[in-house]
């Protein structure tokens, strides 16, 4: 075991799987010699050559489109899109084709494709580099959406994604690419898709988060603990399929829920989670469900970005309100 | 039945000023802006852009600016093109055209402001017909075509110019935009700054075609390659294309053959993917060096003229930096103010929430 950051853990997972699966190919802009703009694919072209680690033309729709054909033919394509804001050009391919290939052909063709992309704010990036629009994709039937929150999680979730028989969008929280290091087992391990993780147990309130937002959420839980409030923290890990059971079980126990995400509030994933809780755990609820989210605006440029992103104070405040209701 | 040749095509290359600063006298005689003052003006403009850019790189290193995309090496393309434009023409830039924005009249302070992460830097002055820079590669190309279409629709004597890199020619937006422009014979000039690299990906990985200019042929209009480090060639080609556009002759695609001397952005390290020999070879073709050599030979540009020009550029840049750094702090609540003409109830509630938070922070 060694201590790795998120970038290194993802790199290790990709390397491991490329060694195991000779049909796995990586496609993306600058992923070869340059090792990707965040260096996630660093060194892979040296080991596997430029037939398997392909610097493509600058063409997101093209990349995802060819990857669909490759996947249907029997390869395991793994696409890197440089930033989530540049995935939109490929939405047609992803939504109209990757996600529906199995359905449209009654199972004759399938699309085992992974699209990896950094997402989220807090990295002082230019416009269109901080998108957190996972809801567009969660809203797409036939597409799985995975968001790791730590290096070890990333490795296990990515390996599962790479072996999933259906298309997976793997969103990498750019803010924590290098911010956290932890022990990551060298050997292979798989974290099943569709299972949330209970990160901390508590009886007073359930805090639900994913990706980079898990970290301020955990800090908020610590701060609340000092005041005697015991928060249960759930890391969703997979946004689609959504693990309702774990959320509902927890809220049945605590009677209270706060959902934290950096995406805009309206039609963000928090809305879906709140709806499910109302449908299935209404009688357990002791207080209205709270959401701590970004605003319904584009993420601002770096100078004022921090005012957009949910912070520990806001999470604590929302949780205290819910607890004190 | 024997095969017939249906069409044959050629792609022209235009250079007027060579690397040593010599002009082709025949071609030179056709250059539109060639009196002494204008030519020196070209040089001063290029020097201003270079000085602005060097300062931006320094500011970034000192943490006073965010990620910035340097334009060194591409000054001739930008100066030559803008000099052919009228203020009433429209410009759709990509993100590597600070020179274009500057010469079109955007206050230098605002360009620094934008790259420092301050939204106020993107407030285009009312009198300027320039679109904000496009961060997603190539997405502005069809938009520029739409503006040209609107100009044609309204019978306005206006042309549109759009700038983009070689990487952008791989995008669907490029093909879709050029196709519309060709079909509707729109008054637009596509200026591709072929600087040979799209971050780490070389031109040979963007296209298998011998030139980018020839791509226009497939859409039914003229494509030409010019030496992008030769301000006269760029200016002449753009001027002709604009005249053609304004007189109903339809679109033109101009490939400016140039080079990015710097890293892709301040977040990039170009030494990972390109050789120092390549960069050195292109440094010899620097657009400033050759124009300086020309004006020295032609008009006796002396070392003291040079020093004076540099000083002037530095003073302008210093003043802009001072202005940029003495603007009032940006109000975070401004993020709500320009989303819709009339803010929605949700936005008003959210703005209120932020204002409360800011107030608490102050206390
Ligand atoms: C759609 C899209 N994909 C990827 C990026 C990231 N990116 C920014 S610039 C760039 C290379 C652009 O190359 P080119 O069009 O040749 O312009 P240059 O940067 O060389 O001026 C890339 C890949 C982006 N901004 N937009």
């Amino acid at each position: 075991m060694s201590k790795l950051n998120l970038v290194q853990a993802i790199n290790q997972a990709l390397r491991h799987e490329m060694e195991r699966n000779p049909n796995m190919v990586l496609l993306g802009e600058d992923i070869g010699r340059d090792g990707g703009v965040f260096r996630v694919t660093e060194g892979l072209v040296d080991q596997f050559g430029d037939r398997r680690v392909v610097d493509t033309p600058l063409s997101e729709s093209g990349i995802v489109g060819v990857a669909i054909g490759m996947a249907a033919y029997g390869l395991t394509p793994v696409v890197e899109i440089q930033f989530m804001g540049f995935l939109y050009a490929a939405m047609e391919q992803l939504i109209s084709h990757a996600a529906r290939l199995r359905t449209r052909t009654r199972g004759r063709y399938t699309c085992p494709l992974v699209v990896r992309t950094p997402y989220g704010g807090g990295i002082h990036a230019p416009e269109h580099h901080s998108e957190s629009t996972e809801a567009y994709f969660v809203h797409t039937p036939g597409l799985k959406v995975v968001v790791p929150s730590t290096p070890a999680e990333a490795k296990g979730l990515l390996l599962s994604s790479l072996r999933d028989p259906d298309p997976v969008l793997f969103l990498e929280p750019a803010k924590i690419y290098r911010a956290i290091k932890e022990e990551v087992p060298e050997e292979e391990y798989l974290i099943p898709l569709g299972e949330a993780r209970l990160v901390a147990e508590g009886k007073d309130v359930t805090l639900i988060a994913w990706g980079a937002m898990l970290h301020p959420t955990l800090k908020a839980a610590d701060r609340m603990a000092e005041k005697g409030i015991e928060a249960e923290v759930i890391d969703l890990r997979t946004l689609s399929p959504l693990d309702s059971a774990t959320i509902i079980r927890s809220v049945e126990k605590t009677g209270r829920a706060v959902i934290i995400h950096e995406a805009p509030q309206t039609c963000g994933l928090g809305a879906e989670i709140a709806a499910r809780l109302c449908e299935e755990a209404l009688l357990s609820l002791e207080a209205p469900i709270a959401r701590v989210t970004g605003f319904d605006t584009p993420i601002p440029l770096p100078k004022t970005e921090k005012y957009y992103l949910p912070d520990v104070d806001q999470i604590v405040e929302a949780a205290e309100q819910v607890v004190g209701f | 039945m024997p095969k017939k040749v249906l069409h044959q095509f050629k792609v022209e290359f235009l250079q007027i000023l060579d690397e040593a600063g010599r002009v082709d006298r025949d071609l030179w005689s056709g250059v539109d802006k060639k009196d002494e003052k204008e030519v020196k003006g070209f040089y001063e403009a290029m020097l201003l852009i270079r000085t602005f850019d060097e300062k931006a790189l320094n500011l970034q290193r000192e943490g006073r600016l965010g990620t910035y995309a340097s334009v060194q090496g591409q000054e001739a393309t930008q100066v030559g093109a803008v000099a052919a434009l009228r203020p009433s023409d429209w410009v759709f830039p990509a993100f590597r055209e600070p020179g274009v924005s500057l010469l079109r009249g955007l206050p230098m302070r605002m360009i620094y402001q934008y790259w420092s992460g301050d939204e106020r830097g993107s407030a285009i002055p009312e009198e300027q017909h320039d679109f904000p820079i496009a961060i997603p590669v190539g997405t502005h190309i069809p938009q520029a075509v739409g503006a040209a279409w609107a100009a044609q629709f309204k019978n306005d004597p206006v042309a549109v110019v759009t700038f983009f890199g070689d990487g952008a020619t791989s995008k669907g937006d490029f093909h879709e935009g050029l196709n519309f422009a060709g079909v509707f014979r729109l008054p637009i000039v596509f200026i591709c700054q072929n600087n040979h690299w799209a971050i780490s990906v070389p031109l040979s990985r963007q296209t298998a075609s011998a030139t980018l200019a020839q791509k226009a042929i497939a859409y039914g209009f003229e494509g030409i390659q010019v030496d992008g480090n030769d301000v006269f060639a760029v200016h002449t080609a753009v001027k002709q294309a604009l005249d053609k556009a304004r007189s109903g002759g339809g679109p033109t695609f101009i490939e400016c053959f140039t080079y990015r001397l710097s890293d892709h952005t301040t977040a990039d390290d170009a030494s990972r993917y390109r050789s120092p020999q390549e960069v050195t070879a292109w440094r010899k073709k620097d657009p400033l060096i050759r124009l300086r050599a020309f004006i020295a030979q032609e008009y006796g540009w002396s070392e003291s003229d040079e020093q004076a020009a540099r000083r002037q550029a530095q003073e302008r840049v210093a003043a802009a930096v001072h202005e940029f750094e003495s603007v009032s702090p940006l109000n975070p609540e401004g993020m709500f103010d320009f989303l819709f003409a009339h803010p929605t109830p949700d936005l008003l509630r959210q703005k209120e929430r932020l204002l409360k938070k800011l107030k608490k922070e102050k206390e």
Side-chain angles (χ1 to χ4, degrees):
Chain A
M1 257 208 297
S2 43
K3 277 200 156 195
L4 303 182
N5 65 27
L6 201 75
V7 168
Q8 294 163 324
I10 295 170
N11 180 281
Q12 198 181 78
L14 291 171
R15 188 184 302 272
H16 176 90
E17 199 60 9
M18 289 196 79
E19 281 166 353
R20 201 187 71 93
N21 175 0
N23 284 328
M24 181 166 145
V25 293
L26 306 187
L27 304 168
E29 296 156 14
D30 304 289
I31 64 167
R33 186 113 63 103
D34 209 30
V37 287
F38 283 101
R39 310 279 178 250
V40 174
T41 53
E42 179 110 65
L44 297 180
V45 72
D46 302 325
Q47 185 175 344
F48 301 102
D50 62 6
R51 275 184 76 231
R52 295 187 62 198
V53 180
V54 186
D55 272 332
T56 63
L58 203 168
S59 174
E60 285 76 12
S61 176
I63 299 168
V64 175
V66 301
I68 292 171
M70 287 176 154
Y73 196 94
L75 299 187
T76 309
V78 180
V79 166
E80 174 175 304
I81 299 293
Q82 288 188 338
F83 286 90
M84 192 176 194
F86 308 138
L87 183 56
Y88 305 150
M91 278 176 105
E92 161 100 84
Q93 292 293 343
L94 212 53
I95 294 173
S96 303
H97 301 290
R100 300 161 78 121
L101 193 59
R102 184 186 291 276
T103 308
R104 288 179 61 227
T105 62
R106 309 295 292 168
R108 168 70 174 83
Y109 294 115
T110 62
C111 190
L113 152 74
V114 174
V115 175
R116 299 177 30 247
T117 185
Y119 95 114
I123 55 166
H124 302 293
E127 286 182 275
H128 308 276
H129 287 69
S130 304
E131 309 291 288
S132 177
T133 45
E134 59 272 28
Y136 296 148
F137 301 94
V138 174
H139 191 65
T140 302
L143 201 61
K144 293 183 179 169
V145 181
V146 178
V147 183
S149 59
T150 75
E153 286 279 307
K155 180 171 174 185
L157 288 167
L158 182 55
L159 285 173
S160 294
S161 303
L162 295 170
R163 294 187 199 172
D164 196 277
D166 286 305
V168 176
L169 176 61
F170 193 83
L171 298 175
E172 301 169 3
K175 183 170 170 53
I176 53 170
Y177 259 148
R178 293 173 195 279
I180 309 162
K181 275 199 164 190
E182 71 178 356
E183 301 282 348
V184 177
E186 210 82 45
E187 66 280 5
E188 155 180 332
Y189 62 98
L190 301 174
I191 297 173
L193 304 188
E195 286 182 17
R197 176 168 69 115
L198 198 62
V199 186
E201 292 200 46
K203 61 176 181 22
D204 298 326
V205 58
T206 302
L207 308 181
I208 302 158
W210 55 92
M213 279 295 127
L214 180 68
H215 300 280
T217 301
L218 286 171
K219 279 201 190 108
D222 283 347
R223 215 191 285 164
M224 285 151 63
E226 289 164 19
K227 301 184 194 169
I229 303 171
E230 290 178 31
E232 181 138 308
V233 180
I234 294 176
D235 173 10
L236 281 186
R237 302 204 285 206
T238 308
L239 309 187
S240 176
L242 193 60
D243 181 2
S244 302
T246 298
I247 301 166
I248 289 164
R249 208 177 309 123
S250 172
V251 173
E252 280 172 349
K253 181 171 91 180
T254 62
R256 295 173 161 87
V258 180
I259 306 150
I260 300 105
H261 62 65
E262 58 182 284
Q265 184 171 72
T266 301
C267 285
L269 197 58
E272 176 64 28
I273 296 168
R276 290 191 189 197
L277 286 171
C278 290
E279 283 165 358
E280 302 197 36
L282 186 67
L283 298 182
S284 307
L285 286 173
E286 307 273 353
I289 299 160
R291 287 180 286 170
V292 181
T293 69
F295 298 120
D296 292 347
T297 70
I299 297 194
L301 291 181
K303 280 255 155 95
T304 49
E305 174 186 36
K306 71 170 184 186
Y307 295 102
Y308 172 97
L309 294 170
D311 61 20
V312 180
D313 286 349
Q314 277 168 281
I315 302 170
V316 170
E317 193 182 325
E320 284 180 350
Q321 265 177 20
V322 166
V323 170
F325 180 77
Chain B
M1 226 173 283
K3 286 181 185 168
K4 288 186 281 190
V5 175
L6 292 181
H7 288 290
Q8 276 179 329
F9 302 102
K10 63 178 181 359
V11 179
E12 286 183 343
F13 174 79
L14 178 67
Q15 184 193 54
I16 297 173
L17 176 69
D18 73 7
E19 286 172 49
R22 286 178 306 244
V23 294
D24 178 304
R25 286 288 155 186
D26 286 342
L27 291 172
W28 167 246
S29 66
V31 170
D32 166 56
K33 297 207 159 146
K34 60 172 180 300
D35 82 25
E36 180 174 342
K37 196 158 156 259
E38 286 165 339
V39 174
K40 286 181 176 170
F42 281 166
Y43 181 71
E44 284 156 359
M46 278 161 50
L47 195 60
L48 182 67
I49 299 170
R50 179 71 55 99
T51 311
F52 161 86
D53 193 90
E54 281 167 352
K55 187 67 189 178
L57 294 176
N58 280 334
L59 291 172
Q60 194 279 336
R61 268 178 228 119
E62 294 164 9
R64 294 152 73 191
L65 223 58
T67 306
Y68 169 74
S70 166
V71 66
Q72 282 174 41
Q74 302 179 213
E75 293 89 346
T77 295
Q78 305 193 5
V79 170
V82 176
L85 281 161
R86 297 177 188 159
S88 54
D89 293 330
W90 284 59
V91 172
F92 285 69
F95 46 82
R96 202 183 294 286
E97 285 86 37
V100 171
S101 305
L102 199 58
L103 300 175
R104 288 283 288 171
L106 192 70
M108 194 186 286
R109 153 185 74 81
M110 288 178 61
I111 309 178
Y112 285 131
Q113 224 173 336
Y114 176 82
W115 291 104
S116 79
D118 179 336
E119 259 98 17
R120 290 172 300 184
S122 49
I124 312 278
E126 282 294 334
E127 65 281 8
Q128 221 176 309
H129 300 133
D130 293 26
F131 241 50
I133 68 175
I135 298 290
V137 169
T139 46
H140 58 303
I141 300 173
Q143 300 161 12
V145 173
W149 202 345
Q152 185 195 60
F153 184 93
K154 292 184 161 190
N155 274 324
D156 289 339
V158 158
V160 176
V161 164
T162 178
F163 293 87
F164 47 89
D166 40 301
T169 65
S170 298
K171 286 284 300 272
D173 308 76
F174 167 81
H175 299 279
E176 294 175 30
L178 266 69
N179 195 47
F180 268 90
V183 168
F184 297 100
R185 275 176 82 82
L186 301 175
I188 183 163
V189 183
F190 299 98
I191 300 184
C192 177
Q193 298 187 75
N194 172 6
N195 67 9
H196 286 78
W197 291 92
I199 309 189
S200 73
V201 179
L203 186 62
S204 60
R205 268 283 162 126
Q206 297 298 343
T207 183
S209 63
T211 66
L212 292 171
Q214 73 200 60
K215 288 181 185 265
I217 294 164
Y219 299 105
F221 54 91
E222 187 195 359
I224 174 179
Q225 189 184 79
V226 305
D227 183 337
N229 288 5
D230 165 3
V231 69
F232 300 133
V234 175
H235 176 67
T236 301
V238 175
K239 173 82 174 39
Q240 284 170 0
L242 282 168
D243 289 345
K244 175 176 120 187
R246 290 197 198 96
S247 58
T252 309
F253 178 68
I254 301 175
E255 174 189 358
C256 297
F257 202 77
T258 181
Y259 194 77
R260 142 166 83 72
L261 290 171
S262 41
D263 294 330
H264 168 71
T265 64
T266 48
D268 174 53
D269 171 11
S271 69
R272 289 174 71 97
Y273 52 81
R274 66 183 191 188
S275 72
Q277 291 87 324
E278 180 184 307
V279 183
T280 310
W282 274 97
R283 279 199 186 285
K284 297 201 181 101
K285 304 183 190 185
D286 187 320
L288 272 77
I289 295 177
R290 78 173 70 168
L291 187 59
R292 185 182 163 183
F294 173 75
I295 54 179
Q297 288 153 30
E298 193 80 6
Y299 310 118
W301 182 261
S302 68
E303 189 51 39
S304 70
D305 292 331
E306 175 71 15
Q307 290 313 325
R310 277 176 195 255
R311 208 174 319 114
Q312 216 177 25
Q314 268 152 10
E315 277 164 14
R316 248 193 91 177
V317 167
V321 171
H322 179 74
E323 280 173 46
F324 142 64
E325 293 200 315
S326 34
V327 292
S328 57
L330 176 63
N331 288 330
E333 68 269 27
M335 75 175 90
F336 295 100
D337 293 347
F338 302 97
L339 207 55
F340 296 112
H342 308 290
T344 64
D346 273 339
L347 287 173
L348 290 174
R349 265 194 297 277
Q350 293 182 5
K351 183 171 177 177
E352 209 44 50
R353 203 171 90 205
L354 176 61
L355 285 170
K356 254 193 220 140
K357 180 182 160 161
L358 292 169
K359 202 169 147 217
K360 228 166 101 188
E361 226 171 57
K362 259 198 194 137
E363 283 160 8

